[in-house]
Amino acid sequence: METARDQEDVLGAGREAEGPDSSREPPPSPPSPPPPPTPPSPATPEPPEPPQPEPPSEASARQLLLEEWGPSGGSLQLPARLTWTLLLVRRPLYRNLLRSPNPEGINIYQPAPPTGPTQQPLEALGNFRGWYIGSEKLQQNLSWTVKQQCVNLLAEGLWEELLDDEQPDVTVMDWFEDSRLDDCVYELHVWLLAADRHTVIAQHHVAPRTSGRGPPGRWIQVSHVFRQYGPGVRFIHFLHKTKNRMEPGGLRRTRVTDSSVSVQLRE
């Protein structure tokens, strides 16, 4: 009997313990510890700088230039103040010395893209850096757009002895649009000038008239080569004119592109 009573007491004690405590909320779980800070990623190593090519020697610079210039450069003698490596950097021969030779980005291998009259100034239609731009009024709603540059040959890397003794060829070239705005829609004027920029040593002027044959908008080339012009040339003044016509919607222009002035050794 005592054993059974003892068992009941134990069970009762167990029920009492379960009864009142069964309605209690379990104690909240302790907050999780914050995650450990992310270790900083190792710094990405900077790529090593590519090795700088060594500047060419005088002999290799001379060889490279003579390969470009051809046999006519083989006998060329440089003054003491000038080096072949400097010439290799500046390359004053066989390159276009004009700035922005194609301001409107027009391709001469295709007809001039059609365009109507415009009221925008010319400077807004392309990159005309290096050009001095003006205009001349004519009769019957016509006018010229005048663009010009003056090239300093010494500043471009040429030297007095070459210009005076060798007198290399000076080639000028230009392309204008057959706009049919008038019989003559283009003029080219070039002066070879002395150091004072006023004394004229040689000059060339042309005002071609188009025939009216062929498709309108085709490109027409003009060119001239100055040879044996005499000593003293230090500047080349390049000027061309293109004709415009005023219409109700604005100015209809004759376009020009791929202007060039270059110096070549005589054959």
Side-chain angles (χ1 to χ4, degrees), residues 137-143 181-182 243-246:
K137 291 185 178 181
L138 303 171
Q139 297 178 349
Q140 300 177 347
N141 296 326
L142 296 174
S143 64
L181 297 181
D182 200 2
K243 192 161 286 183
N244 315 302
R245 184 174 65 204
M246 181 59 70

Side-chain angles (χ1 to χ4, degrees), residues 55-94 157 159 162 166 265:
S57 64
E58 276 290 284
S60 59
R62 181 178 184 275
Q63 181 64 30
L64 288 171
L65 288 175
L66 293 184
E67 289 175 359
E68 293 181 8
W69 297 348
S72 54
S75 59
L76 198 61
Q77 299 295 322
L78 301 187
R81 65 184 180 279
L82 191 60
T83 65
W84 288 99
T85 52
L86 180 59
L87 278 183
L88 184 64
V89 172
R90 307 188 76 176
R91 282 185 161 87
L93 296 170
Y94 301 95
W159 57 102
L162 176 73
E166 300 292 334
L265 296 174

Side-chain angles (χ1 to χ4, degrees), residues 18 29 35-36 42 53 66 72 86 88 94 131 164 167 173 196 214 225 238 252-253 262:
E18 291 177 1
S29 301
L66 293 184
S72 54
L86 180 59
L88 184 64
Y94 301 95
W131 291 99
D164 295 343
Q167 295 178 26
M173 190 179 299
D196 60 5
V225 181
F238 179 98
R252 187 178 294 274
R253 303 183 303 111
S262 58

Side-chain angles (χ1 to χ4, degrees), residues 141-162:
N141 296 326
L142 296 174
S143 64
W144 288 114
T145 292
V146 183
K147 305 205 319 290
Q148 54 190 313
Q149 293 189 38
C150 191
V151 177
N152 184 337
L153 296 175
L154 300 184
E156 294 293 339
L158 297 161
W159 57 102
E160 292 94 336
E161 294 84 351
L162 176 73

Side-chain angles (χ1 to χ4, degrees), residues 213-230:
R213 296 190 296 268
R218 66 192 178 103
W219 294 106
I220 300 175
Q221 184 189 44
V222 292
S223 63
H224 178 73
V225 181
F226 291 95
R227 296 186 174 94
Q228 301 289 341
Y229 38 78

